[in-house]
Amino acid sequence: MSNKHFKGWQFPWWEYLQEEPVDAGSGEPQRRQFGASGSAKVAPDMPVTGVRRAILGHNQDMRVTSIALVMDPKHLDCRKHPGGKIEPGESREAAIVREIDEETGVPLNPHDEFESLGRFSDSKGYVFDFGATFVPEEFLWKSVEAKGVGNEGEIIEILPIDILSDPNFLNGRTERGENAPLFWDHREPTMLLPLVIAAWEEEHRAAQAA
């Protein structure tokens, strides 16, 4: 099937992601630090060493209803977007298809375009390319249920999309203790998702109505 990927450059906040602070003395690009989250946006020409995708489920009305996240068996207190390192000799696109299949069971079309929403560094020093892919919600559920667990034991969760509006989700647990935070290096790209989702819904609902 052909998955729907978000074309980030069509929207104003993409320009913000492409802006890079410059050291006043050396004139060299600097990584932008994002407050307490600790994640850093990196210059567009920095070599990508890993990939991450927000996997989002939508209904027939082109409303985004859910998001798929994974938990490493060694870090069950934190969730993350599926993805991982690019293997030697592997293209960015091939790495996205492989990692998403290995961790969630969602089969992406290798012939699709995988647009980037920005490049971020993680806690291990990797530079990962972040993007968003939208799939029908029933397809997402069937793929995850068929997979069961990731190839390395990752626990796969499909959460309602309104989890992104929970102010505690990025930084800590809710009062009920049900929602573990994302890894610190996933927080900043996750903060973009409400904007991404709103723009995607507007674009595809308009196309559906035409």
Side-chain angles (χ1 to χ4, degrees), residues 139-206:
F139 176 77
L140 176 60
W141 279 98
K142 288 180 180 178
S143 298
V144 168
E145 288 174 356
K147 183 71 174 178
V149 296
N151 285 13
E152 295 184 1
E154 297 93 345
I155 296 172
I156 315 162
E157 290 186 304
I158 300 178
L159 300 175
I161 200 61
D162 60 10
I163 193 69
L164 297 180
S165 65
D166 182 346
N168 297 306
F169 181 59
L170 297 178
N171 300 308
R173 298 180 182 274
T174 64
E175 292 181 0
R176 293 181 296 174
E178 295 175 351
N179 299 315
L182 296 182
F183 278 133
W184 65 265
D185 46 291
H186 290 239
R187 293 176 190 174
E188 185 63 27
T190 302
M191 291 171 66
L192 295 173
L193 289 181
L195 294 174
V196 172
I197 290 167
W200 184 91
E201 288 179 336
E202 179 180 356
E203 175 186 340
H204 286 81
R205 285 171 64 84

Short mmCIF file of all heavy atoms in Angstrom, two decimals, residues 139-206:
data_model
loop_
_atom_site.label_atom_id
_atom_site.label_comp_id
_atom_site.label_asym_id
_atom_site.label_seq_id
_atom_site.Cartn_x
_atom_site.Cartn_y
_atom_site.Cartn_z
N PHE A 139 -5.37 -0.50 9.55
CA PHE A 139 -4.13 -1.09 9.04
C PHE A 139 -3.05 -1.06 10.12
O PHE A 139 -2.30 -2.02 10.30
CB PHE A 139 -3.68 -0.33 7.80
CG PHE A 139 -2.37 -0.76 7.24
CD1 PHE A 139 -2.27 -1.93 6.49
CD2 PHE A 139 -1.22 -0.02 7.44
CE1 PHE A 139 -1.05 -2.34 5.96
CE2 PHE A 139 0.00 -0.41 6.92
CZ PHE A 139 0.08 -1.59 6.18
N LEU A 140 -2.98 0.05 10.85
CA LEU A 140 -2.01 0.17 11.93
C LEU A 140 -2.25 -0.88 13.00
O LEU A 140 -1.32 -1.58 13.42
CB LEU A 140 -2.10 1.57 12.53
CG LEU A 140 -1.21 1.86 13.75
CD1 LEU A 140 0.25 1.67 13.41
CD2 LEU A 140 -1.48 3.27 14.28
N TRP A 141 -3.50 -1.03 13.45
CA TRP A 141 -3.82 -2.01 14.49
C TRP A 141 -3.51 -3.44 14.03
O TRP A 141 -2.92 -4.22 14.78
CB TRP A 141 -5.29 -1.89 14.89
CG TRP A 141 -5.55 -0.79 15.85
CD1 TRP A 141 -6.01 0.46 15.57
CD2 TRP A 141 -5.33 -0.81 17.27
NE1 TRP A 141 -6.10 1.21 16.71
CE2 TRP A 141 -5.70 0.46 17.78
CE3 TRP A 141 -4.87 -1.78 18.15
CZ2 TRP A 141 -5.61 0.78 19.13
CZ3 TRP A 141 -4.79 -1.47 19.51
CH2 TRP A 141 -5.15 -0.21 19.98
N LYS A 142 -3.90 -3.78 12.81
CA LYS A 142 -3.66 -5.13 12.31
C LYS A 142 -2.17 -5.43 12.21
O LYS A 142 -1.72 -6.53 12.54
CB LYS A 142 -4.33 -5.32 10.95
CG LYS A 142 -5.85 -5.41 11.01
CD LYS A 142 -6.45 -5.59 9.63
CE LYS A 142 -7.97 -5.67 9.68
NZ LYS A 142 -8.57 -5.80 8.32
N SER A 143 -1.40 -4.45 11.75
CA SER A 143 0.04 -4.65 11.60
C SER A 143 0.71 -4.86 12.95
O SER A 143 1.54 -5.76 13.12
CB SER A 143 0.67 -3.44 10.89
OG SER A 143 0.14 -3.27 9.59
N VAL A 144 0.34 -4.04 13.92
CA VAL A 144 0.95 -4.14 15.25
C VAL A 144 0.52 -5.43 15.95
O VAL A 144 1.34 -6.11 16.59
CB VAL A 144 0.58 -2.91 16.09
CG1 VAL A 144 0.94 -3.11 17.55
CG2 VAL A 144 1.28 -1.67 15.54
N GLU A 145 -0.74 -5.79 15.83
CA GLU A 145 -1.22 -7.03 16.45
C GLU A 145 -0.54 -8.25 15.85
O GLU A 145 -0.21 -9.21 16.55
CB GLU A 145 -2.73 -7.13 16.31
CG GLU A 145 -3.49 -6.14 17.20
CD GLU A 145 -4.98 -6.16 16.95
OE1 GLU A 145 -5.42 -6.88 16.03
OE2 GLU A 145 -5.72 -5.44 17.66
N ALA A 146 -0.32 -8.22 14.53
CA ALA A 146 0.35 -9.34 13.88
C ALA A 146 1.81 -9.44 14.30
O ALA A 146 2.36 -10.53 14.42
CB ALA A 146 0.25 -9.19 12.36
N LYS A 147 2.44 -8.29 14.54
CA LYS A 147 3.85 -8.27 14.94
C LYS A 147 4.02 -8.75 16.38
O LYS A 147 4.93 -9.52 16.68
CB LYS A 147 4.40 -6.85 14.79
CG LYS A 147 5.88 -6.71 15.12
CD LYS A 147 6.74 -7.34 14.04
CE LYS A 147 8.21 -7.07 14.28
NZ LYS A 147 9.06 -7.71 13.26
N GLY A 148 3.17 -8.30 17.26
CA GLY A 148 3.26 -8.70 18.66
C GLY A 148 4.29 -7.91 19.42
O GLY A 148 3.97 -7.04 20.22
N VAL A 149 5.56 -8.21 19.21
CA VAL A 149 6.67 -7.47 19.81
C VAL A 149 7.71 -7.21 18.73
O VAL A 149 7.75 -7.89 17.70
CB VAL A 149 7.33 -8.24 20.98
CG1 VAL A 149 6.35 -8.43 22.12
CG2 VAL A 149 7.88 -9.58 20.51
N GLY A 150 8.55 -6.21 18.96
CA GLY A 150 9.60 -5.89 18.01
C GLY A 150 10.66 -6.96 17.93
O GLY A 150 10.73 -7.86 18.78
N ASN A 151 11.50 -6.89 16.90
CA ASN A 151 12.54 -7.91 16.69
C ASN A 151 13.51 -8.02 17.86
O ASN A 151 14.11 -9.07 18.07
CB ASN A 151 13.33 -7.59 15.41
CG ASN A 151 12.54 -7.91 14.15
OD1 ASN A 151 11.32 -8.15 14.21
ND2 ASN A 151 13.21 -7.91 13.02
N GLU A 152 13.68 -6.93 18.61
CA GLU A 152 14.58 -6.97 19.77
C GLU A 152 13.78 -6.87 21.06
O GLU A 152 14.29 -6.43 22.09
CB GLU A 152 15.60 -5.83 19.67
CG GLU A 152 16.54 -5.99 18.47
CD GLU A 152 17.61 -4.92 18.43
OE1 GLU A 152 17.64 -4.06 19.35
OE2 GLU A 152 18.42 -4.93 17.50
N GLY A 153 12.54 -7.32 21.01
CA GLY A 153 11.71 -7.37 22.21
C GLY A 153 11.00 -6.07 22.54
O GLY A 153 10.43 -5.95 23.63
N GLU A 154 11.02 -5.10 21.62
CA GLU A 154 10.36 -3.83 21.90
C GLU A 154 8.86 -4.05 22.12
O GLU A 154 8.22 -4.82 21.41
CB GLU A 154 10.54 -2.84 20.74
CG GLU A 154 11.97 -2.44 20.48
CD GLU A 154 12.66 -3.30 19.44
OE1 GLU A 154 12.12 -4.39 19.12
OE2 GLU A 154 13.72 -2.91 18.96
N ILE A 155 8.33 -3.36 23.10
CA ILE A 155 6.90 -3.40 23.37
C ILE A 155 6.24 -2.30 22.54
O ILE A 155 6.65 -1.13 22.59
CB ILE A 155 6.62 -3.18 24.86
CG1 ILE A 155 7.21 -4.35 25.66
CG2 ILE A 155 5.12 -3.06 25.12
CD1 ILE A 155 7.16 -4.15 27.15
N ILE A 156 5.25 -2.66 21.74
CA ILE A 156 4.60 -1.72 20.84
C ILE A 156 3.28 -1.28 21.45
O ILE A 156 2.48 -2.11 21.88
CB ILE A 156 4.34 -2.36 19.46
CG1 ILE A 156 5.58 -3.13 18.97
CG2 ILE A 156 3.93 -1.31 18.45
CD1 ILE A 156 5.27 -4.12 17.87
N GLU A 157 3.06 0.03 21.47
CA GLU A 157 1.81 0.56 21.99
C GLU A 157 1.16 1.48 20.96
O GLU A 157 1.86 2.25 20.29
CB GLU A 157 2.05 1.38 23.26
CG GLU A 157 2.46 0.56 24.47
CD GLU A 157 2.53 1.44 25.70
OE1 GLU A 157 3.27 2.43 25.67
OE2 GLU A 157 1.85 1.13 26.68
N ILE A 158 -0.15 1.39 20.85
CA ILE A 158 -0.92 2.35 20.06
C ILE A 158 -1.73 3.18 21.05
O ILE A 158 -2.58 2.64 21.76
CB ILE A 158 -1.82 1.66 19.04
CG1 ILE A 158 -0.98 0.81 18.07
CG2 ILE A 158 -2.64 2.70 18.26
CD1 ILE A 158 -1.81 0.04 17.06
N LEU A 159 -1.44 4.46 21.10
CA LEU A 159 -2.08 5.34 22.06
C LEU A 159 -3.00 6.34 21.35
O LEU A 159 -2.75 6.71 20.20
CB LEU A 159 -1.02 6.11 22.85
CG LEU A 159 -0.03 5.26 23.65
CD1 LEU A 159 1.03 6.16 24.27
CD2 LEU A 159 -0.75 4.48 24.72
N PRO A 160 -4.07 6.78 22.03
CA PRO A 160 -4.93 7.80 21.42
C PRO A 160 -4.14 9.08 21.19
O PRO A 160 -3.28 9.45 22.00
CB PRO A 160 -6.04 7.98 22.45
CG PRO A 160 -5.47 7.47 23.73
CD PRO A 160 -4.51 6.37 23.36
N ILE A 161 -4.45 9.77 20.11
CA ILE A 161 -3.64 10.92 19.73
C ILE A 161 -3.76 12.05 20.74
O ILE A 161 -2.86 12.90 20.83
CB ILE A 161 -4.04 11.41 18.32
CG1 ILE A 161 -2.91 12.26 17.72
CG2 ILE A 161 -5.36 12.15 18.34
CD1 ILE A 161 -1.60 11.53 17.54
N ASP A 162 -4.82 12.08 21.53
CA ASP A 162 -4.94 13.16 22.50
C ASP A 162 -3.90 13.07 23.61
O ASP A 162 -3.80 13.97 24.46
CB ASP A 162 -6.35 13.26 23.07
CG ASP A 162 -6.81 11.99 23.79
OD1 ASP A 162 -5.97 11.10 24.03
OD2 ASP A 162 -8.01 11.91 24.12
N ILE A 163 -3.11 11.99 23.61
CA ILE A 163 -2.01 11.91 24.57
C ILE A 163 -1.03 13.07 24.36
O ILE A 163 -0.36 13.52 25.29
CB ILE A 163 -1.26 10.55 24.44
CG1 ILE A 163 -0.33 10.32 25.64
CG2 ILE A 163 -0.45 10.49 23.15
CD1 ILE A 163 -1.04 10.06 26.92
N LEU A 164 -0.97 13.59 23.13
CA LEU A 164 -0.06 14.70 22.85
C LEU A 164 -0.48 15.99 23.54
O LEU A 164 0.34 16.91 23.68
CB LEU A 164 0.03 14.93 21.33
CG LEU A 164 0.60 13.78 20.50
CD1 LEU A 164 0.62 14.17 19.04
CD2 LEU A 164 2.00 13.39 20.97
N SER A 165 -1.73 16.08 23.96
CA SER A 165 -2.19 17.27 24.66
C SER A 165 -2.01 17.16 26.17
O SER A 165 -2.30 18.11 26.90
CB SER A 165 -3.66 17.54 24.34
OG SER A 165 -4.49 16.48 24.83
N ASP A 166 -1.53 16.02 26.63
CA ASP A 166 -1.26 15.83 28.06
C ASP A 166 0.04 16.55 28.41
O ASP A 166 1.11 16.18 27.92
CB ASP A 166 -1.14 14.34 28.36
CG ASP A 166 -0.90 14.05 29.83
OD1 ASP A 166 -0.56 14.99 30.59
OD2 ASP A 166 -1.07 12.89 30.23
N PRO A 167 0.00 17.59 29.23
CA PRO A 167 1.22 18.35 29.51
C PRO A 167 2.30 17.54 30.20
O PRO A 167 3.47 17.92 30.20
CB PRO A 167 0.72 19.49 30.42
CG PRO A 167 -0.53 18.97 31.03
CD PRO A 167 -1.16 18.11 29.97
N ASN A 168 1.92 16.41 30.80
CA ASN A 168 2.91 15.58 31.49
C ASN A 168 3.54 14.53 30.59
O ASN A 168 4.50 13.87 31.00
CB ASN A 168 2.25 14.87 32.68
CG ASN A 168 1.73 15.83 33.72
OD1 ASN A 168 2.48 16.67 34.19
ND2 ASN A 168 0.46 15.73 34.04
N PHE A 169 3.01 14.38 29.39
CA PHE A 169 3.45 13.25 28.57
C PHE A 169 4.91 13.35 28.15
O PHE A 169 5.63 12.37 28.14
CB PHE A 169 2.56 13.14 27.33
CG PHE A 169 2.93 11.99 26.44
CD1 PHE A 169 2.90 10.69 26.92
CD2 PHE A 169 3.29 12.20 25.12
CE1 PHE A 169 3.24 9.62 26.10
CE2 PHE A 169 3.63 11.13 24.30
CZ PHE A 169 3.60 9.85 24.79
N LEU A 170 5.36 14.57 27.81
CA LEU A 170 6.74 14.73 27.36
C LEU A 170 7.73 14.64 28.51
O LEU A 170 8.86 14.21 28.33
CB LEU A 170 6.91 16.07 26.65
CG LEU A 170 6.10 16.28 25.37
CD1 LEU A 170 6.36 17.68 24.83
CD2 LEU A 170 6.44 15.24 24.32
N ASN A 171 7.31 15.04 29.70
CA ASN A 171 8.26 15.23 30.79
C ASN A 171 8.10 14.30 31.98
O ASN A 171 9.00 14.18 32.79
CB ASN A 171 8.16 16.68 31.29
CG ASN A 171 8.47 17.67 30.21
OD1 ASN A 171 9.50 17.56 29.56
ND2 ASN A 171 7.58 18.62 29.99
N GLY A 172 6.97 13.63 32.11
CA GLY A 172 6.81 12.76 33.26
C GLY A 172 5.48 12.05 33.26
O GLY A 172 4.70 12.15 32.33
N ARG A 173 5.23 11.32 34.32
CA ARG A 173 4.01 10.53 34.41
C ARG A 173 2.82 11.41 34.80
O ARG A 173 2.98 12.45 35.41
CB ARG A 173 4.18 9.42 35.45
CG ARG A 173 5.28 8.43 35.09
CD ARG A 173 5.39 7.37 36.17
NE ARG A 173 6.46 6.44 35.87
CZ ARG A 173 6.34 5.37 35.10
NH1 ARG A 173 5.18 5.11 34.54
NH2 ARG A 173 7.35 4.57 34.88
N THR A 174 1.65 10.96 34.41
CA THR A 174 0.44 11.63 34.85
C THR A 174 0.17 11.25 36.30
O THR A 174 0.83 10.38 36.87
CB THR A 174 -0.77 11.22 34.00
OG1 THR A 174 -1.00 9.81 34.19
CG2 THR A 174 -0.52 11.50 32.53
N GLU A 175 -0.83 11.88 36.90
CA GLU A 175 -1.17 11.58 38.29
C GLU A 175 -1.56 10.11 38.45
O GLU A 175 -1.33 9.51 39.50
CB GLU A 175 -2.30 12.49 38.76
CG GLU A 175 -1.90 13.96 38.87
CD GLU A 175 -3.05 14.82 39.35
OE1 GLU A 175 -4.13 14.27 39.60
OE2 GLU A 175 -2.84 16.05 39.49
N ARG A 176 -2.14 9.54 37.40
CA ARG A 176 -2.54 8.13 37.47
C ARG A 176 -1.37 7.20 37.22
O ARG A 176 -1.49 5.99 37.37
CB ARG A 176 -3.65 7.86 36.46
CG ARG A 176 -4.96 8.57 36.80
CD ARG A 176 -6.03 8.26 35.78
NE ARG A 176 -5.66 8.78 34.47
CZ ARG A 176 -6.36 8.55 33.37
NH1 ARG A 176 -7.44 7.81 33.41
NH2 ARG A 176 -5.98 9.08 32.21
N GLY A 177 -0.21 7.77 36.81
CA GLY A 177 0.98 6.95 36.62
C GLY A 177 0.93 6.04 35.42
O GLY A 177 1.66 5.06 35.34
N GLU A 178 0.09 6.38 34.43
CA GLU A 178 -0.08 5.47 33.30
C GLU A 178 0.79 5.83 32.11
O GLU A 178 1.08 4.98 31.28
CB GLU A 178 -1.55 5.48 32.85
CG GLU A 178 -2.50 4.92 33.89
CD GLU A 178 -3.94 5.07 33.47
OE1 GLU A 178 -4.19 5.75 32.45
OE2 GLU A 178 -4.81 4.51 34.14
N ASN A 179 1.20 7.08 32.00
CA ASN A 179 1.85 7.53 30.79
C ASN A 179 3.32 7.86 31.03
O ASN A 179 3.65 8.95 31.49
CB ASN A 179 1.13 8.75 30.22
CG ASN A 179 -0.31 8.42 29.87
OD1 ASN A 179 -0.57 7.39 29.28
ND2 ASN A 179 -1.23 9.27 30.24
N ALA A 180 4.19 6.92 30.73
CA ALA A 180 5.62 7.17 30.87
C ALA A 180 6.04 8.23 29.85
O ALA A 180 5.50 8.29 28.76
CB ALA A 180 6.40 5.88 30.64
N PRO A 181 7.01 9.08 30.19
CA PRO A 181 7.45 10.11 29.25
C PRO A 181 8.25 9.51 28.09
O PRO A 181 8.69 8.36 28.15
CB PRO A 181 8.35 11.00 30.11
CG PRO A 181 8.89 10.05 31.16
CD PRO A 181 7.76 9.10 31.44
N LEU A 182 8.42 10.31 27.06
CA LEU A 182 9.32 9.91 25.98
C LEU A 182 10.76 10.09 26.44
O LEU A 182 11.05 10.86 27.36
CB LEU A 182 9.09 10.78 24.74
CG LEU A 182 7.73 10.68 24.06
CD1 LEU A 182 7.71 11.57 22.83
CD2 LEU A 182 7.41 9.25 23.67
N PHE A 183 11.69 9.40 25.76
CA PHE A 183 13.10 9.68 25.99
C PHE A 183 13.33 11.17 25.75
O PHE A 183 12.71 11.78 24.88
CB PHE A 183 13.98 8.89 25.02
CG PHE A 183 14.23 7.48 25.44
CD1 PHE A 183 14.08 6.44 24.54
CD2 PHE A 183 14.63 7.19 26.73
CE1 PHE A 183 14.33 5.13 24.92
CE2 PHE A 183 14.88 5.88 27.12
CZ PHE A 183 14.74 4.85 26.22
N TRP A 184 14.25 11.77 26.50
CA TRP A 184 14.46 13.22 26.40
C TRP A 184 14.79 13.63 24.97
O TRP A 184 14.43 14.72 24.54
CB TRP A 184 15.53 13.69 27.36
CG TRP A 184 16.92 13.17 27.12
CD1 TRP A 184 17.50 12.08 27.70
CD2 TRP A 184 17.91 13.71 26.25
NE1 TRP A 184 18.78 11.90 27.25
CE2 TRP A 184 19.06 12.89 26.36
CE3 TRP A 184 17.94 14.80 25.38
CZ2 TRP A 184 20.23 13.14 25.63
CZ3 TRP A 184 19.10 15.05 24.66
CH2 TRP A 184 20.23 14.22 24.79
N ASP A 185 15.48 12.81 24.22
CA ASP A 185 15.87 13.21 22.87
C ASP A 185 14.74 13.05 21.85
O ASP A 185 14.94 13.30 20.67
CB ASP A 185 17.12 12.44 22.40
CG ASP A 185 17.05 10.96 22.68
OD1 ASP A 185 17.10 10.59 23.86
OD2 ASP A 185 16.95 10.18 21.72
N HIS A 186 13.56 12.62 22.31
CA HIS A 186 12.41 12.54 21.42
C HIS A 186 11.39 13.64 21.71
O HIS A 186 10.41 13.76 21.00
CB HIS A 186 11.71 11.19 21.59
CG HIS A 186 12.49 10.05 21.05
ND1 HIS A 186 12.01 9.23 20.06
CD2 HIS A 186 13.73 9.58 21.34
CE1 HIS A 186 12.91 8.29 19.78
NE2 HIS A 186 13.96 8.49 20.55
N ARG A 187 11.62 14.43 22.71
CA ARG A 187 10.60 15.37 23.13
C ARG A 187 10.42 16.52 22.14
O ARG A 187 9.31 16.91 21.82
CB ARG A 187 10.93 15.93 24.52
CG ARG A 187 10.85 14.86 25.59
CD ARG A 187 11.28 15.38 26.93
NE ARG A 187 11.41 14.30 27.89
CZ ARG A 187 11.88 14.44 29.11
NH1 ARG A 187 12.25 15.62 29.53
NH2 ARG A 187 11.98 13.41 29.92
N GLU A 188 11.53 17.10 21.70
CA GLU A 188 11.40 18.26 20.82
C GLU A 188 10.71 17.91 19.50
O GLU A 188 9.77 18.61 19.11
CB GLU A 188 12.78 18.88 20.56
CG GLU A 188 12.72 20.16 19.75
CD GLU A 188 11.96 21.27 20.47
OE1 GLU A 188 11.93 21.26 21.72
OE2 GLU A 188 11.39 22.11 19.78
N PRO A 189 11.11 16.86 18.78
CA PRO A 189 10.36 16.53 17.57
C PRO A 189 8.91 16.18 17.86
O PRO A 189 8.02 16.48 17.05
CB PRO A 189 11.12 15.34 16.96
CG PRO A 189 12.05 14.87 18.01
CD PRO A 189 12.32 16.02 18.92
N THR A 190 8.62 15.58 19.01
CA THR A 190 7.24 15.25 19.35
C THR A 190 6.41 16.51 19.52
O THR A 190 5.21 16.53 19.20
CB THR A 190 7.19 14.40 20.63
OG1 THR A 190 7.97 13.22 20.44
CG2 THR A 190 5.77 14.00 20.97
N MET A 191 7.02 17.58 20.00
CA MET A 191 6.30 18.83 20.19
C MET A 191 5.83 19.42 18.86
O MET A 191 4.91 20.24 18.83
CB MET A 191 7.19 19.83 20.94
CG MET A 191 7.43 19.44 22.39
SD MET A 191 8.68 20.47 23.20
CE MET A 191 7.86 22.06 23.19
N LEU A 192 6.45 19.01 17.76
CA LEU A 192 6.02 19.47 16.45
C LEU A 192 4.75 18.78 15.97
O LEU A 192 4.04 19.31 15.10
CB LEU A 192 7.12 19.21 15.41
CG LEU A 192 8.44 19.94 15.55
CD1 LEU A 192 9.44 19.39 14.53
CD2 LEU A 192 8.26 21.43 15.37
N LEU A 193 4.44 17.62 16.50
CA LEU A 193 3.41 16.78 15.91
C LEU A 193 2.02 17.41 15.87
O LEU A 193 1.31 17.23 14.88
CB LEU A 193 3.38 15.42 16.61
CG LEU A 193 4.57 14.51 16.31
CD1 LEU A 193 4.41 13.18 17.03
CD2 LEU A 193 4.73 14.28 14.81
N PRO A 194 1.55 18.13 16.90
CA PRO A 194 0.24 18.75 16.77
C PRO A 194 0.13 19.67 15.55
O PRO A 194 -0.90 19.71 14.88
CB PRO A 194 0.06 19.51 18.08
CG PRO A 194 0.88 18.72 19.06
CD PRO A 194 2.08 18.29 18.28
N LEU A 195 1.20 20.41 15.26
CA LEU A 195 1.20 21.27 14.08
C LEU A 195 1.19 20.43 12.80
O LEU A 195 0.48 20.73 11.84
CB LEU A 195 2.44 22.17 14.09
CG LEU A 195 2.54 23.22 15.18
CD1 LEU A 195 3.89 23.91 15.12
CD2 LEU A 195 1.41 24.24 15.05
N VAL A 196 1.98 19.39 12.80
CA VAL A 196 2.06 18.50 11.64
C VAL A 196 0.71 17.86 11.38
O VAL A 196 0.22 17.81 10.25
CB VAL A 196 3.13 17.41 11.88
CG1 VAL A 196 3.09 16.37 10.78
CG2 VAL A 196 4.52 18.04 11.96
N ILE A 197 0.08 17.37 12.44
CA ILE A 197 -1.19 16.67 12.31
C ILE A 197 -2.28 17.62 11.80
O ILE A 197 -3.05 17.28 10.91
CB ILE A 197 -1.59 16.05 13.66
CG1 ILE A 197 -0.65 14.87 13.97
CG2 ILE A 197 -3.05 15.59 13.65
CD1 ILE A 197 -0.75 14.38 15.39
N ALA A 198 -2.34 18.83 12.38
CA ALA A 198 -3.36 19.79 11.96
C ALA A 198 -3.23 20.14 10.48
O ALA A 198 -4.22 20.21 9.74
CB ALA A 198 -3.28 21.05 12.82
N ALA A 199 -1.99 20.33 10.03
CA ALA A 199 -1.77 20.67 8.63
C ALA A 199 -2.10 19.49 7.71
O ALA A 199 -2.69 19.65 6.63
CB ALA A 199 -0.33 21.11 8.43
N TRP A 200 -1.73 18.29 8.13
CA TRP A 200 -2.01 17.09 7.33
C TRP A 200 -3.51 16.88 7.20
O TRP A 200 -4.02 16.59 6.12
CB TRP A 200 -1.36 15.87 7.96
CG TRP A 200 -1.51 14.62 7.15
CD1 TRP A 200 -0.65 14.14 6.19
CD2 TRP A 200 -2.59 13.67 7.22
NE1 TRP A 200 -1.12 12.97 5.67
CE2 TRP A 200 -2.31 12.65 6.27
CE3 TRP A 200 -3.74 13.58 7.98
CZ2 TRP A 200 -3.16 11.57 6.08
CZ3 TRP A 200 -4.60 12.50 7.78
CH2 TRP A 200 -4.30 11.51 6.84
N GLU A 201 -4.24 17.02 8.31
CA GLU A 201 -5.69 16.83 8.28
C GLU A 201 -6.35 17.84 7.35
O GLU A 201 -7.24 17.50 6.56
CB GLU A 201 -6.27 16.95 9.69
CG GLU A 201 -5.93 15.77 10.59
CD GLU A 201 -6.50 15.94 11.98
OE1 GLU A 201 -6.74 17.10 12.40
OE2 GLU A 201 -6.70 14.92 12.67
N GLU A 202 -5.92 19.09 7.44
CA GLU A 202 -6.51 20.13 6.59
C GLU A 202 -6.27 19.82 5.11
O GLU A 202 -7.18 19.91 4.28
CB GLU A 202 -5.92 21.49 6.95
CG GLU A 202 -6.46 22.63 6.10
CD GLU A 202 -5.85 23.97 6.48
OE1 GLU A 202 -5.06 24.01 7.45
OE2 GLU A 202 -6.16 24.97 5.81
N GLU A 203 -5.04 19.42 4.80
CA GLU A 203 -4.68 19.12 3.41
C GLU A 203 -5.48 17.94 2.87
O GLU A 203 -6.03 18.00 1.76
CB GLU A 203 -3.18 18.81 3.34
CG GLU A 203 -2.69 18.35 1.98
CD GLU A 203 -1.23 17.92 2.02
OE1 GLU A 203 -0.51 18.32 2.97
OE2 GLU A 203 -0.81 17.18 1.11
N HIS A 204 -5.60 16.86 3.64
CA HIS A 204 -6.23 15.65 3.13
C HIS A 204 -7.75 15.69 3.22
O HIS A 204 -8.43 15.09 2.38
CB HIS A 204 -5.67 14.43 3.87
CG HIS A 204 -4.28 14.10 3.44
ND1 HIS A 204 -3.17 14.76 3.91
CD2 HIS A 204 -3.82 13.19 2.54
CE1 HIS A 204 -2.09 14.27 3.34
NE2 HIS A 204 -2.45 13.32 2.50
N ARG A 205 -8.30 16.43 4.16
CA ARG A 205 -9.75 16.59 4.20
C ARG A 205 -10.23 17.46 3.04
O ARG A 205 -11.29 17.21 2.46
CB ARG A 205 -10.18 17.18 5.54
CG ARG A 205 -10.13 16.15 6.68
CD ARG A 205 -10.35 16.80 8.03
NE ARG A 205 -11.68 17.37 8.15
CZ ARG A 205 -12.76 16.69 8.50
NH1 ARG A 205 -12.65 15.39 8.77
NH2 ARG A 205 -13.93 17.26 8.61
N ALA A 206 -9.42 18.46 2.68
CA ALA A 206 -9.76 19.29 1.53
C ALA A 206 -9.70 18.48 0.23
O ALA A 206 -10.57 18.60 -0.64
CB ALA A 206 -8.80 20.47 1.45
#
